[in-house]
Amino acid sequence: MSSLARKYVNQGLQYMMLNEYLQRQLARANYVHAQFFKTPIGTKVIVYAGIPGLVIGRRGANIKALSDVLEKEYGLENPQIDVVEVPNQDLNAKIMAYRVARALVRGVRFRRAAMIALNRIMAAGARGAEIIISGKLTSERHRTERFTRGYVPKSGEPGEELVDEAVVHVLLKLGMYGVKVRIMKPARMPDMILVRSQVPQGGEA
């Protein structure tokens, strides 16, 4: 492996570890993802979250502490952190997975938690949604429950480009639970055909 290829591999591993750390630390802020850019004065970090205030902290205290950790423990050079609020949060799979997981922590029944989330997603304009909850749901045996609304493609171009997918894990008294959310965005399908009525020559539509 060339030195250049090794550099990119190491950088990719570093960013993966950073993303895992940020997800653990900023889960309460509905952390979605982060982007990292090299700049002439250091590293620009853009954090996307549902609740930016929890990332920033009072008078920027959380941002300062986070910058110190990223620099000292993860080797980022002079990290400059910006926080961006995620728009259309009811259509973001990661944020909706967080919400379902928190409902389970509060003791809400898994079916009710899933149905509330599905209603919010569909009300926001999604073409379809799927929520999968796994764990010891009703007994000591592990099992999986699936809840769906509308249309959610599983494969092909629509499944890759139009479906937002996320998984969140939460530890409860009976063990670890998994929440997977897939949301079909309110977009026009590639194979959708629009039929227009023929307009007579000289007439109006």
Side-chain angles (χ1 to χ4, degrees):
M1 182 183 294
S2 67
S3 59
L4 182 61
R6 188 178 296 108
K7 175 184 176 181
Y8 282 113
V9 169
N10 291 337
Q11 187 179 73
L13 290 173
Q14 181 190 36
Y15 289 165
M16 182 181 69
M17 293 172 61
L18 281 167
N19 186 66
E20 291 178 352
Y21 169 77
L22 292 172
Q23 181 161 318
R24 291 194 305 270
Q25 292 298 115
L26 304 177
R28 290 181 60 247
N30 287 349
Y31 169 80
V32 176
H33 68 97
Q35 293 178 308
F36 305 90
F37 303 96
K38 290 289 187 181
T39 69
I41 61 172
T43 306
K44 186 177 183 64
V45 182
I46 303 178
V47 175
Y48 296 85
I51 312 175
L54 292 182
V55 181
I56 298 170
R58 188 175 183 181
R59 297 181 180 177
N62 293 351
I63 284 286
K64 294 176 183 177
L66 187 59
S67 296
D68 289 341
V69 172
L70 296 186
E71 184 171 16
K72 295 176 182 178
E73 297 187 17
Y74 290 90
L76 286 191
E77 181 182 355
N78 188 26
Q80 306 293 318
I81 302 176
D82 290 338
V83 185
V84 177
E85 183 174 5
V86 177
N88 301 323
Q89 296 188 19
D90 288 343
L91 293 175
N92 186 282
K94 191 68 168 288
I95 290 179
M96 296 310 296
Y98 279 131
R99 290 175 178 172
V100 173
R102 291 199 187 100
L104 297 177
V105 171
R106 295 195 306 269
V108 178
R109 298 286 295 176
F110 70 92
R111 289 189 180 89
R112 177 173 173 77
M115 296 309 296
I116 290 174
L118 281 177
N119 289 338
R120 292 191 63 163
I121 293 169
M122 298 306 292
R127 294 180 63 87
E130 178 183 65
I131 297 177
I132 301 173
I133 303 177
S134 59
K136 295 179 180 179
L137 302 178
T138 56
S139 66
E140 289 298 317
R141 295 188 62 182
H142 181 283
R143 67 191 185 92
T144 299
E145 287 281 351
R146 185 189 310 267
F147 306 87
T148 60
R149 287 275 184 86
Y151 171 64
V152 183
K154 303 286 186 180
S155 60
E157 182 180 343
E160 294 178 358
E161 298 185 1
L162 301 179
V163 176
D164 187 24
E165 180 177 314
V167 177
V168 169
H169 295 93
V170 58
L171 182 61
L172 302 179
K173 290 182 179 180
L174 294 178
M176 187 68 72
Y177 285 61
V179 179
K180 182 176 183 179
V181 176
R182 303 178 75 242
I183 299 175
M184 173 65 175
K185 301 174 184 178
R188 182 174 177 269
M189 294 290 290
D191 59 350
M192 184 180 293
I193 300 175
L194 298 178
V195 180
R196 297 180 179 177
S197 59
Q198 186 175 1
V199 180
Q201 188 173 3
E204 296 182 355

